[in-house]
Amino acid sequence: MNNELAMGKNTHLVAKNEEIPDVRGISPQNITVVLPAFNEEVAIGSIVLLTKHYCDTVIVVDDGSSDRTAAIARRAGAHVIVHEVNKGKGAALKTGFKAAADLGADVIVTMDSDGQHNPAEIPRLAAPIIDGTAEMVNGSRYLSHKDKNTPVYRRVGQTILDTATNMNSGLKITDSQSGFRAFAASTKDVFRFNARGMAIESEMLADAGRSGLRIKEVEIGVRYDVDGSTISPIEHGLGVLLMVLKDIEFNKPLYYFTVPGISLGLGGLYMGAHFLHEFILGRGLYFGPTILMILFIVVGTFMALTGILLHSVSAIARETKAV
């Protein structure tokens, strides 16, 4: 076996001298794995070789890499599609999903191409799709709260993103940022694939929730010693959070406008009642707090009505689209 393909930073996913059981062909359905990749020449060869044992087809979408990612993936036996310029993970997944469907996939599995995920867990993710109990399966590091490898700062940020994503999608997902997932191929048109970066994970959950897909979670492992991202966790987290909030603004305006507006309005009314009580007792009104009270009431009322109006417009748009 070519050493360039066999040796990567993730080869120790399989114990030394251990035989890898080849499970291709066992499932009655075609399992295709999509690997979006950007400058992953170090890991991509070994990832493809390992993944081929657990699926029928491996598709690598080289998203504008400047290294040998595409060439090494081809030599390892992957079906390779190249974006001439970097379009982002959302576009890479869109290309991969379309190619998987064209190649006859019944189940589409997505994985990160840097070696964080273990290909041996693919059958576990695909099982609920194959037995017909789910249309989407989310691999979760935290399903049983046993993952002790996640750094504390990552877990705090993860909790914030999980909360925001679940609010936006209407789901109860324990790991909203997981890139290790399985989908029924029939769901490919449900997703927008608009987000360029890692925010695509939250966007896909929002699309799945709004489309009413049956979603299950299964426990997975993850490695952090191979994280090759050039974006800091804080920058990544803020980017995802802003995308989720923007999505909520357009798709759930009652959360974004009406709820905060009502809170501001109630705060203003409470201040007004307090000032009225003070005035009845013969005490004077102070200019600053009085203006603040009026501002709270006016802005709160405006936000609440804006949210209700946008919610109505959004509902009409969804009904029109459905027709």
Side-chain angles (χ1 to χ4, degrees):
M1 184 181 294
N2 192 310
N3 288 337
E4 183 179 43
L5 300 181
M7 295 183 66
K9 58 186 175 182
N10 62 312
T11 51
H12 59 281
L13 285 171
V14 180
K16 190 175 181 180
N17 299 324
E18 178 184 345
E19 290 294 330
I20 306 174
D22 195 322
V23 299
R24 291 172 298 178
I26 294 177
S27 168
Q29 299 191 41
N30 179 292
I31 300 176
T32 296
V33 174
V34 174
L35 295 170
F38 178 66
N39 290 339
E40 292 289 356
E41 65 176 8
V42 175
I44 196 66
S46 52
I47 281 291
V48 170
L49 289 172
L50 290 171
T51 301
K52 285 169 61 180
H53 291 278
Y54 302 99
C55 67
D56 298 281
T57 307
V58 178
I59 297 174
V60 172
V61 181
D62 181 356
D63 191 31
S65 296
S66 58
D67 63 6
R68 299 176 300 159
T69 294
I72 294 176
R74 284 193 188 97
R75 294 174 67 181
H79 178 87
V80 178
I81 303 171
V82 177
H83 289 171
E84 294 302 324
V85 295
N86 182 262
K87 299 180 180 180
K89 189 174 181 181
L93 286 174
K94 183 176 183 178
T95 297
F97 270 55
K98 183 181 183 302
D102 291 344
L103 292 173
D106 298 301
V107 181
I108 300 173
V109 177
T110 61
M111 288 175 52
D112 291 344
S113 56
D114 58 6
Q116 284 197 16
H117 302 136
N118 188 350
E121 295 178 324
I122 291 173
R124 187 186 306 166
L125 268 77
I129 309 291
I130 294 171
D131 64 26
T133 59
E135 284 97 33
M136 176 178 174
V137 178
N138 190 62
S140 174
R141 295 162 284 182
Y142 315 115
L143 192 59
S144 60
H145 307 286
K146 292 181 179 179
D147 182 25
K148 298 180 180 179
N149 297 319
T150 308
V152 174
Y153 69 90
R154 282 181 179 266
R155 195 66 189 100
V156 172
Q158 180 76 35
T159 300
I160 295 173
L161 295 179
D162 288 347
T163 301
T165 299
N166 287 336
M167 180 187 297
N168 188 33
S169 64
L171 302 173
K172 294 182 179 179
I173 298 297
T174 62
D175 190 357
S176 66
Q177 302 308 298
S178 174
F180 198 2
R181 293 170 173 169
F183 307 82
S186 58
T187 67
K188 68 181 181 65
D189 295 326
V190 164
F191 305 104
R192 290 170 287 171
F193 299 113
N194 287 339
R196 285 186 58 85
M198 297 303 174
I200 186 63
E201 320 299 359
S202 291
E203 181 188 280
M204 293 182 78
L205 286 173
D207 293 340
R210 290 171 196 142
S211 298
L213 297 186
R214 291 177 298 164
I215 303 173
K216 283 192 172 183
E217 287 197 296
V218 299
E219 191 169 359
I220 60 168
V222 69
R223 294 173 53 212
Y224 293 104
D225 58 318
V226 297
D227 187 2
S229 175
T230 58
I231 302 177
S232 71
I234 295 177
E235 183 181 351
H236 162 242
L238 288 176
V240 174
L241 184 59
L242 287 175
M243 188 285 298
V244 173
L245 292 177
K246 185 177 179 180
D247 211 28
I248 293 175
E249 176 184 358
F250 286 102
N251 294 287
K252 291 196 173 183
L254 292 180
Y255 281 108
Y256 200 88
F257 290 104
T258 303
V259 173
I262 290 175
S263 299
L264 279 177
L266 290 176
L269 290 174
Y270 175 80
M271 291 172 65
H274 175 71
F275 295 159
L276 180 61
H277 177 71
E278 294 290 302
F279 182 76
I280 291 174
L281 293 178
R283 300 186 180 97
L285 294 177
Y286 295 98
F287 179 77
T290 302
I291 293 299
L292 185 62
M293 172 200 72
I294 296 172
L295 184 64
F296 277 9
I297 293 175
V298 172
V299 173
T301 301
F302 176 77
M303 289 181 63
L305 292 177
T306 298
I308 293 171
L309 179 61
L310 290 176
H311 176 74
S312 300
V313 172
S314 178
I316 293 172
R318 284 194 297 269
E319 291 176 3
T320 303
K321 185 177 179 180
V323 173

